[in-house]
Amino acid sequence: MRVFREWIQRLQGTLLPGRRDADLEQEIRLHMEMAADDARRRGLDPADAQRAARIEAGGASQAMDALRDQRGLPWLDDLARDVSHGLRTLRRTPVFTAVALLTLALGIGANTAIFSIVNGVILRPLKYPKPEQLMYLTTEFPALGLTRNALSVQEYLEFRQINQSFAAVGAYRATGGAYTTGEVNLAAGDRPLRVRAISVDAHVLNTLGVQPAQGRFFTEEETDRAGGLARQRSRFSRTSCRKPSWEDNHSVDKP
Amino acid sequence: MSNKSARSKADVLQGTLDLMVLQTLDSLGPLHGYAIAARLEQVSDGALQLNMGTLYPALMRLEQRGLLRGNWGTTEANRKARLYAVTSAGRRQLATEKQAWDRMAAIIHTLLHSEA
């Protein structure tokens, strides 16, 4: 507790020195004078007495240094001096300062931007059960130099039949399809909502393990019977569902 | 920067120096720095010669901890001086430190001089 108090006092001593240098110097000077008086009383002549006092009491400037260190927090003083020196130097060279600041700003900005992307896309896992097992299937046409092509409906159906590697496989159609542009108006309820939409078959919903907020999803039999994506989408928009997206996880729970 | 030798000497003495200063002021009443140094030199038969770089930072430290209070006044020789007095917290601290010192001294004494 006492030591804590000392540090508070020293912090105060750094910010607003209670005892000025002059005050400390006077105390040191008086000490030297009294030491010299004592030496004179022992029979030394004034010059010798002063020397004796200096030897006995130690150097005044060293004592002052030690006192200044004890009065405040020397490292804080040094830090403040370094900072103000740095600022003065920067003010003298405005071009360098501008370039340095710009570099820093760009560096920090770019870093933040990259991190938010990496964090969202790579580091933060998808909010589905066992996200590490989710795979995105594409086709390749090496002869044409095409990679990551979407599967056709026929390819997908065939893959489903021969699949032995995956527990479940589903298909979806995001944009550019005949029935959706990726966004639709959800007009039921108090006010219309613009929501992201995607055409899916029942297998996708099973694979991702999502549950509808209300009502029910269409079943696999219904998918097979309908045969086309149009009917799936219309059913989908009638039963509102929890939105399966990692970018925006709020649920569309307006009926 | 600070004087290294004054510092290391203060480190060696710190524990006992605080105790000696508090005891001196408690028994003799308010004194200035030189009088404290003179008294310690006298009781130690000249073995303890405190230099200013050790004594005054120690006084300042004790003051910062609230164990001493220093004020400018005049000595009997009608000289201006900064006089230090023990506060009540200082007296309490002195009592605890004295006890701890006695205990430790007894232990060391037993250890060094026991026959068995």
Side-chain angles (χ1 to χ4, degrees):
Chain A
M1 233 16 246
R2 289 284 152 195
V3 176
F4 179 67
R5 186 188 156 128
E6 174 190 337
W7 285 94
I8 295 289
Q9 292 271 318
R10 289 177 76 167
L11 184 63
Q12 215 172 51
T14 303
L15 302 177
L16 33 114
R19 292 185 66 193
R20 305 270 158 201
D21 279 4
D23 193 74
L24 301 176
E25 269 161 15
Q26 191 178 16
E27 192 172 15
I28 297 293
R29 200 172 49 245
L30 288 169
H31 185 107
M32 296 287 277
E33 280 176 23
M34 285 188 268
D37 282 356
D38 266 6
R40 240 193 321 277
R41 234 171 278 137
R42 289 202 298 269
L44 295 172
D45 65 71
D48 284 344
Q50 288 225 334
R51 197 166 332 115
R54 241 196 316 278
I55 291 165
E56 197 180 315
S61 63
Q62 287 153 356
M64 276 303 292
D65 279 344
L67 273 173
R68 276 192 212 99
D69 282 357
Q70 179 64 37
R71 176 177 58 188
L73 299 166
W75 54 266
L76 198 60
D77 272 343
D78 291 348
L79 182 70
R81 238 192 319 274
D82 286 351
V83 167
S84 78
H85 174 73
L87 287 178
R88 271 201 309 280
T89 313
L90 285 177
R91 210 175 305 142
R92 268 202 302 278
T93 53
V95 178
F96 170 78
T97 306
V99 171
L101 277 181
L102 199 66
T103 312
L104 270 178
L106 283 177
I108 293 170
N111 230 320
T112 312
I114 298 285
F115 176 75
S116 5
I117 293 171
V118 167
N119 184 41
V121 176
I122 300 174
L123 298 180
R124 203 143 44 97
L126 296 171
K127 287 172 180 167
Y128 303 118
K130 300 186 182 164
E132 72 283 355
Q133 291 184 2
L134 287 175
M135 303 294 280
Y136 179 71
L137 301 173
T138 59
T139 56
E140 291 190 357
F141 295 94
L144 298 173
L146 297 176
T147 55
R148 293 182 167 232
N149 269 39
L151 279 79
S152 70
V153 175
Q154 288 81 0
E155 285 168 329
Y156 163 62
L157 293 174
E158 190 183 351
F159 186 82
R160 275 194 64 80
Q161 281 174 4
I162 63 171
N163 165 47
Q164 293 183 332
S165 310
F166 296 95
V169 181
Y172 72 91
R173 190 166 184 177
T175 54
Y179 306 107
T180 171
T181 56
E183 283 194 339
V184 293
N185 292 327
L186 195 60
D190 306 340
R191 57 202 166 106
L193 284 172
R194 188 75 175 159
V195 296
R196 293 188 59 179
I198 197 168
S199 304
V200 297
D201 67 1
H203 305 293
V204 165
L205 303 172
N206 286 342
T207 308
L208 296 179
V210 292
Q211 296 300 322
Q214 284 181 20
R216 66 169 186 89
F217 285 137
F218 42 88
T219 62
E220 291 179 19
E221 292 74 40
E222 285 168 328
T223 301
D224 293 340
R225 243 186 301 132
L229 292 169
R231 182 170 157 75
Q232 293 162 23
R233 202 198 69 76
S234 72
R235 287 301 295 242
F236 185 71
S237 63
R238 227 184 298 149
T239 60
S240 56
C241 77
R242 200 171 292 145
K243 204 168 158 196
S245 157
W246 40 260
E247 292 169 285
D248 183 358
N249 201 40
H250 80 254
S251 54
V252 181
D253 49 14
K254 298 275 176 194
Chain B
M1 275 289 29
S2 65
N3 179 328
K4 283 278 183 312
S5 70
R7 263 236 170 131
S8 58
K9 203 167 172 186
D11 282 345
V12 173
L13 278 171
Q14 191 163 314
T16 50
L17 182 59
D18 290 4
L19 183 56
M20 292 190 289
V21 168
L22 286 174
Q23 174 63 39
T24 305
L25 291 176
D26 189 46
S27 54
L28 299 185
L31 292 175
H32 51 76
Y34 183 74
I36 298 170
R39 165 73 178 167
L40 291 178
E41 193 176 337
Q42 180 207 336
V43 295
S44 69
D45 259 342
L48 263 180
Q49 290 203 351
L50 287 178
N51 81 44
M52 297 186 294
T54 305
L55 174 64
Y56 286 98
L59 289 173
M60 189 183 266
R61 188 177 58 244
L62 290 170
E63 203 177 347
Q64 284 165 337
R65 291 186 185 177
L67 305 177
L68 295 185
R69 193 172 296 114
N71 282 307
W72 284 101
T74 45
T75 63
E76 303 110 58
N78 213 18
R79 204 171 195 149
K80 204 180 164 202
R82 197 154 197 277
L83 298 172
Y84 293 89
V86 193
T87 63
S88 50
R91 253 182 290 277
R92 278 197 300 277
Q93 177 79 7
L94 174 62
T96 13
E97 274 190 36
K98 239 170 159 172
Q99 220 167 26
W101 177 267
D102 284 343
R103 241 188 101 212
M104 184 49 79
I107 292 169
I108 296 288
H109 188 268
T110 315
L111 184 69
L112 295 182
H113 300 285
S114 64
E115 298 293 318

